[in-house]
Amino acid sequence: MAVLVTGGAGYIGSHACVALIQSGHNIVVLDNLSNSCRASLEQVSEITGVKFPVVIDDVNDRAALDRLFTAYQIDAVMHFAGMKAVGESCELPLTYYRNNVAGTLTLCEAMKDYGVRTLIFSSSATVYGEPLSNPITEDFPVHATNPYGQSKVMVEQVLHDLVQADALAAVPFWNIAILRYFNPVGAHASGKIGEDPLGIPNNLLPFISLVAVGKLKELSVFGGSYPTPDGTGVRDYIHVMDLAEGHVKALDKLTDEKTSSGCHTWNLGTGNGYSVLEMVSAFEAASGRPIPYKIVDCRPGDIAECWADPSKAESELGWKATRGLMEMMEDTWRWQSQNPNGFSK
Ligand code: UDP
């Protein structure tokens, strides 16, 4: 029996592969390599000493899923495959809905047909939009302000509806976890895998990392007069290995005989908020490199601050983020300085 990891070659997926293997699971990876490369999976094998099947195909391709579910005995799916750039989603809404929403529908149809009940879905704190207060608990209202966020809200709704329909069935089928990620950063401590965005990064830490290695001149800090202690945006940054381990805990929980079928939602964050300028200082301390920056206008659609209340995951999954800000920065820097060109050496 194995866990199917869709999008396993990507940033979060590859770290989840390491966590799954190291906790004794067999894995099969499905990835179309649209925003990732095979080298990350070779590095996962190097870190873990384990080789595993890799299928280069698309979750939207039902015939490919039929081949996969026929060839491998899959008992659970972690679904990371999807597109994640907010700005791009505003330009290409159809592409985002096709990949993120229709892709998940195709995957769920195949899971149902092959009797695979357990699904862990990558959602995002973006579904909370501008929260009324912080920290954010899972029962806050969800709404989205762009097609990327909307695609997560829509898939969450689909998953709830599947479980709702189960209530009418003689034997409930689905066992689903929705994991809402706050801001994943960092890299595996080996420095062998990490975030390798195509082109100019949209996210803060990848951008800072490229400034540190001299590939970008300076950071633009989006907004300096938010109602936050230093005027810059505040987020809940979480180490990607803590996030990956949260997935393994969610899988353990869903496959525990005592867990009843249903759809469970957990925030994965640390509960701490850091400003953009605090992130810059921490990265300078970890890397010993100066990060020149200038404060510019706010980025449209950005919110002032958000951080998680992660206590539901702690009490129900026995999971808690353990890696602090300096470890996030040191691990990011080790990955970036050892691999200035990412996976393309
Ligand atoms: N940010 C910034 N400059 C950048 C990228 C991001 O000042 O080049 C800020 C952004 O406004 C937010 C924080 O860094 O306050 C985190 O942004 P990111 O895009 O990483 O994640 P988000 O929380 O927006 O999904």
Side-chain angles (χ1 to χ4, degrees):
M1 296 295 245
V3 179
L4 171 62
V5 185
T6 77
Y11 173 45
I12 301 171
S14 58
H15 289 81
C17 288
V18 171
L20 280 164
I21 292 170
Q22 289 182 337
S23 55
H25 294 279
N26 295 320
I27 63 168
V28 175
V29 167
L30 171 68
D31 203 300
N32 68 3
L33 303 184
S34 63
N35 188 24
S36 58
C37 58
R38 233 186 140 130
S40 67
L41 295 170
E42 284 152 19
Q43 297 290 62
V44 169
S45 290
E46 192 153 321
I47 293 167
T48 58
V50 172
K51 293 214 180 312
F52 48 86
V54 176
V55 178
I56 308 300
D57 257 317
D58 198 297
V59 281
N60 269 298
D61 182 344
R62 178 57 206 257
L65 294 181
D66 285 332
R67 287 193 297 273
L68 192 155
F69 282 107
T70 305
Y72 301 99
Q73 191 78 39
I74 301 295
D75 60 343
V77 178
M78 283 192 188
H79 181 35
F80 297 96
M83 300 173 79
K84 60 175 185 180
V86 170
E88 184 184 57
S89 79
C90 297
E91 288 159 31
L92 303 171
L94 281 176
T95 312
Y96 272 68
Y97 291 125
R98 162 63 58 198
N99 282 303
N100 293 7
V101 181
T104 307
L105 299 184
T106 307
L107 177 66
C108 288
E109 284 164 356
M111 288 176 69
K112 179 103 200 182
D113 288 348
Y114 290 87
V116 182
R117 313 169 49 231
T118 303
L119 173 66
I120 295 179
F121 174 64
S122 298
S123 189
S124 165
T126 195
V127 301
Y128 296 117
E130 176 104 55
L132 293 173
S133 60
N134 282 290
I136 300 170
T137 52
E138 288 83 353
D139 54 4
F140 273 36
V142 301
H143 58 97
T145 51
N146 56 68
Y148 162 71
Q150 193 62 44
S151 73
K152 296 294 179 190
V153 171
M154 287 163 86
V155 171
E156 288 199 4
Q157 184 61 53
V158 169
L159 300 179
H160 282 293
D161 289 347
L162 292 180
V163 168
Q164 195 74 34
D166 261 355
L168 308 171
V171 183
F173 180 80
W174 291 102
N175 209 1
I176 296 173
I178 292 171
L179 301 182
R180 293 182 178 151
Y181 311 159
F182 281 69
N183 289 58
V185 296
H188 189 264
S190 63
K192 290 179 190 294
I193 53 173
E195 189 164 13
D196 182 17
L198 282 177
I200 305 221
N202 296 305
N203 295 113
L204 181 64
L205 248 276
F207 200 105
I208 291 180
S209 309
L210 291 183
V211 173
V213 291
K215 294 201 158 202
L216 294 169
K217 199 168 119 280
E218 66 181 357
L219 171 71
S220 293
V221 174
F222 298 139
S225 50
Y226 283 112
T228 59
D230 66 15
T232 66
V234 169
R235 297 288 184 277
D236 183 339
Y237 297 92
I238 174 171
H239 195 294
V240 66
M241 282 310 297
D242 277 326
L243 191 68
E245 289 161 10
H247 286 71
V248 176
K249 290 286 191 184
L251 177 64
D252 291 346
K253 179 77 178 176
L254 293 188
T255 49
D256 182 336
E257 280 167 11
K258 293 190 287 298
T259 305
S260 51
S261 54
C263 184
H264 311 266
T265 302
W266 289 293
N267 282 342
L268 296 184
T270 66
N272 302 312
Y274 292 104
S275 74
V276 176
L277 295 184
E278 285 175 309
M279 296 298 280
V280 168
S281 305
F283 198 89
E284 287 180 330
S287 65
R289 302 271 178 109
I291 307 294
Y293 68 86
K294 65 168 185 293
I295 298 191
V296 301
D297 287 347
C298 301
R299 186 168 60 179
D302 267 1
I303 59 172
E305 54 185 11
C306 88
W307 61 92
D309 177 339
S311 57
K312 184 167 183 265
E314 186 174 358
S315 62
E316 295 181 3
L317 303 179
W319 170 89
K320 188 172 174 220
T322 59
R323 296 161 177 90
L325 186 62
M326 279 324 281
E327 198 168 344
M328 299 180 206
M329 298 301 176
E330 284 161 7
D331 290 342
T332 304
W333 178 236
R334 188 176 305 104
W335 154 252
Q336 189 64 58
S337 53
Q338 288 178 8
N339 308 273
N341 300 319
F343 289 110
S344 41
K345 296 239 185 278

